[in-house]
Amino acid sequence: MVTPAAKRKAVAHLVGMHGMSERRACKAIGCCRMTVRYQTSRSDDAGLRQRMRAIAHERRRFGYRRLHVLLKREGYLVNHKKLFRLYREEKLTVRRRGGRKRALGTRAPMTVPVLPNERWSLDFVSDQMTDGRRFRILTVVDDCTRECLALVVDTSLSGARVARELDRLVAERGKPKMVVSDNGSEFTSNAILTWADQSRVAWHYIAPGKPMQNAFIESFNGRLRDELLNETLFTSLAQARVALRCWRADYNDARPHSQLGWQTPSEFAATCTPRRDLALRYIEGSAPDPAAHMGTSNRPNELRPG
């Protein structure tokens, strides 16, 4: 018996079942009488618990840290340690999914870009519908702002289709300095090689069998699969497109990101607007190195690896 609740229960058992006095029962088990007679003054926090359960039910793969951020947005002022206690009492702990064996050894950390459109990451994610038909998702992420730029869904995505989607993104956001991808056949096709040559965009291929070299998109794909794909049954391609479009909007505009100081990617991108303009002009060749305008110190929005 190490907790006060267990000691109170033992004293109550001795008094009720064996007819012992409270004083003698406390002496028998080595418990202070003040502990037995203590009446808690802690509030039950019924409103906070109910709202926390509602958010956790809606966002089943969010841990207590993200729930804490969302509750603070709604005006609930609660210490993160207290919230963690309530989180455990309500049995809302997220079950960890089975992991996989990872390579051992030291690896050089991936550098973090400091400008929007400095580097985009691309990859594919696959899933299937309830009738067994499979579909693929092209994911595109800005490595600086962590924004999800596109989620393209179809039963087949060729290199030409990827090039068209990249043209659409360039028209919306401007041209990136570099694109990072694996060595998939779509990314090594003649259509992509031609696009990179004509657009004058550096295309970097990671080493075969080394997905950790494309860590930003791999992390994003893990969140996508954990929070949406594993939680949803898709009956049609149209439903998948709608669900992914809604999830992308929620990811960019509502979901707090731990590596951005719990800001959303859109909020963080808003602080990068001046740097984004400089980057676009630098890419187009109409301005000198943006580092000369930004300075070399006191960059509050620069992310650091590790």
Side-chain angles (χ1 to χ4, degrees):
M1 296 175 293
V2 294
T3 63
K7 293 178 180 179
R8 293 191 196 101
K9 186 176 180 180
V11 170
H13 175 76
L14 293 177
V15 172
M17 301 300 296
H18 299 279
M20 298 174 64
S21 66
E22 181 184 280
R23 184 189 302 275
R24 186 178 177 185
C26 289
K27 185 175 181 180
I29 66 173
C31 175
C32 178
R33 294 180 68 193
M34 294 179 61
T35 300
V36 175
R37 295 188 174 191
Y38 173 76
Q39 297 292 329
T40 180
S41 59
R42 177 185 294 168
S43 61
D44 58 358
D45 298 303
L48 176 61
R49 289 173 183 266
Q50 182 179 1
R51 184 56 187 153
M52 181 174 61
R53 286 196 303 268
I55 298 177
H57 179 73
E58 179 184 354
R59 300 175 178 271
R60 296 170 51 187
R61 301 303 299 176
F62 275 20
Y64 81 95
R65 292 183 178 87
R66 283 194 173 83
L67 293 181
H68 186 219
V69 175
L70 296 178
L71 289 169
K72 284 177 61 178
R73 289 181 185 173
E74 298 182 6
Y76 290 93
L77 300 179
V78 56
N79 184 278
H80 71 280
K81 292 179 287 187
K82 176 181 178 180
L83 185 71
F84 181 57
R85 175 177 59 81
L86 299 178
Y87 179 80
R88 290 193 300 176
E89 290 177 359
E90 295 296 327
K91 295 181 173 58
L92 298 176
T93 306
V94 178
R95 180 178 62 84
R96 287 186 175 272
R97 301 190 189 275
R100 59 182 176 83
K101 293 183 178 179
R102 300 182 182 275
L104 301 178
T106 58
R107 296 189 296 267
M110 193 175 192
T111 58
V112 181
V114 297
L115 289 172
N117 283 350
E118 186 172 341
R119 188 175 69 210
W120 293 357
S121 295
L122 277 68
D123 201 3
F124 284 105
V125 180
S126 63
D127 202 356
Q128 67 179 9
M129 291 176 272
T130 53
D131 59 3
R133 289 182 299 162
R134 300 196 65 83
F135 62 89
R136 305 186 75 194
I137 307 169
L138 171 66
T139 58
V140 186
V141 171
D142 188 309
D143 290 352
C144 174
T145 65
R146 312 299 174 88
E147 292 174 285
C148 175
L149 306 184
L151 290 175
V152 183
V153 189
D154 214 328
T155 53
S156 178
L157 294 168
S158 63
R161 175 70 179 279
V162 173
R164 290 199 302 270
E165 295 296 334
L166 290 175
D167 283 332
R168 180 182 61 81
L169 288 176
V170 168
E172 292 178 0
R173 294 179 53 93
K175 188 166 56 178
K177 293 178 63 176
M178 176 182 289
V179 175
V180 181
S181 74
D182 57 22
N183 294 268
S185 58
E186 297 85 1
F187 298 136
T188 56
S189 64
N190 289 331
I192 291 298
L193 296 178
T194 302
W195 182 89
D197 183 60
Q198 293 178 349
S199 303
R200 297 184 179 179
V201 174
W203 197 291
H204 175 72
Y205 295 100
I206 65 174
K210 299 289 184 180
M212 69 287 294
Q213 295 181 3
N214 203 5
F216 291 97
I217 196 71
E218 292 293 338
S219 175
F220 172 81
N221 290 344
R223 303 286 75 74
L224 172 64
R225 185 170 296 281
D226 188 46
E227 296 176 12
L228 178 67
L229 301 183
N230 288 346
E231 298 291 315
T232 310
L233 291 176
F234 299 106
T235 58
S236 66
L237 206 58
Q239 179 207 356
R241 286 174 176 148
V242 172
L244 285 161
R245 184 164 58 247
C246 294
W247 188 86
R248 174 175 172 263
D250 180 77
Y251 180 88
N252 287 335
D253 301 329
R255 182 187 185 277
H257 200 295
S258 60
Q259 296 302 313
L260 301 178
W262 299 110
Q263 298 181 85
T264 65
S266 295
E267 290 173 345
F268 182 78
T271 66
C272 301
T273 302
R275 298 192 300 170
R276 175 179 293 178
D277 294 342
L278 280 173
L280 291 176
R281 287 182 297 183
Y282 174 66
I283 292 170
E284 296 298 333
S286 59
D289 187 350
H293 298 270
M294 294 164 52
T296 57
S297 62
N298 298 328
R299 300 179 185 174
N301 295 320
E302 180 174 344
L303 294 177
R304 297 181 180 178

